Amino acid sequence: MTSEPTGPAVVLTAVATEARIVTRQLEAESVERTPFWHSAGRIDRREVVVVRMGVGPARAMRATAWAIDTFAPSHLLVCGFAGGLDPTLRMGTVLQPHEVHRQGKPPIPLANLGPTSGATTILSRDELAETPSEKEDLFRRSGCQAVDMETYEVASVAAEHQITPYVIRAISDDAHTSLDRRFMRLVDSSGDVRPGKVVTLLLSNPTSVMGLMRLGRDATIASDALWASLRHTLERLSRRPRAP
Ligand SMILES: C[C@H]1O[C@@H](n2cnc3c(N)ncnc32)[C@H](O)[C@@H]1O
């Protein structure tokens, strides 16, 4: 039996929109921008640090190593969006996968709060899964219900420190939806929206406003569901040290 770790719960996010879902609920004490944007404070009296890793596996590895070294977290959580691969999953569905997969590597188990309805797995890859046919193909080959770009690296770095992360992801683009690459360029590598790029896109392609509005609506549905699930998880964590 190890003694209960005293550090904060660290919530790892990729893009600014994901971080904001948590920071707007945080009684924040501090915000720092380097080496990774992070905000420390309290949610329901629990110490929480929200870290913005940026998008993709390389940043996820560096941010996870840095967060573990810096905060000695009592719990590590990954919170954000995912693409749906299973065609029955709808926009805003929240998943707490029990295992993360990556092509050519062994699956890594994830922490779970008690029995969940059905075993869910998530696939991490280097790129976005953009079109319905690409998602269908990934679903057939991997069997995973959802896809993202950071969870595998977070879990593998955490495992080196004997930590098993909790992963909470909401479907922001389901298996029937195409993600428009132009919209992803509106976000820089550290997960910030680039306002200049938004204006350029709208001027060069006025119809893109429809896509932007849909993206905004989908993100709102997913955000509300994600926060509800994260809060519930944080409440239940208080009775458990780290992870099984
Ligand atoms: C865009 C951000 O949200 C996650 N994400 C959301 N949708 C997808 C998708 N279709 N493919 C891959 N990653 C996705 C990634 O993890 C990334 O950080």
Side-chain angles (χ1 to χ4, degrees), residues 14 55 81-83 128-129 147-150 169 172-173 179 184:
V55 177
F81 300 136
L128 286 167
V147 59
D148 77 359
M149 298 170 63
E150 296 87 16
R169 292 239 182 220
S172 56
D173 52 290
L179 253 196
M184 290 314 296

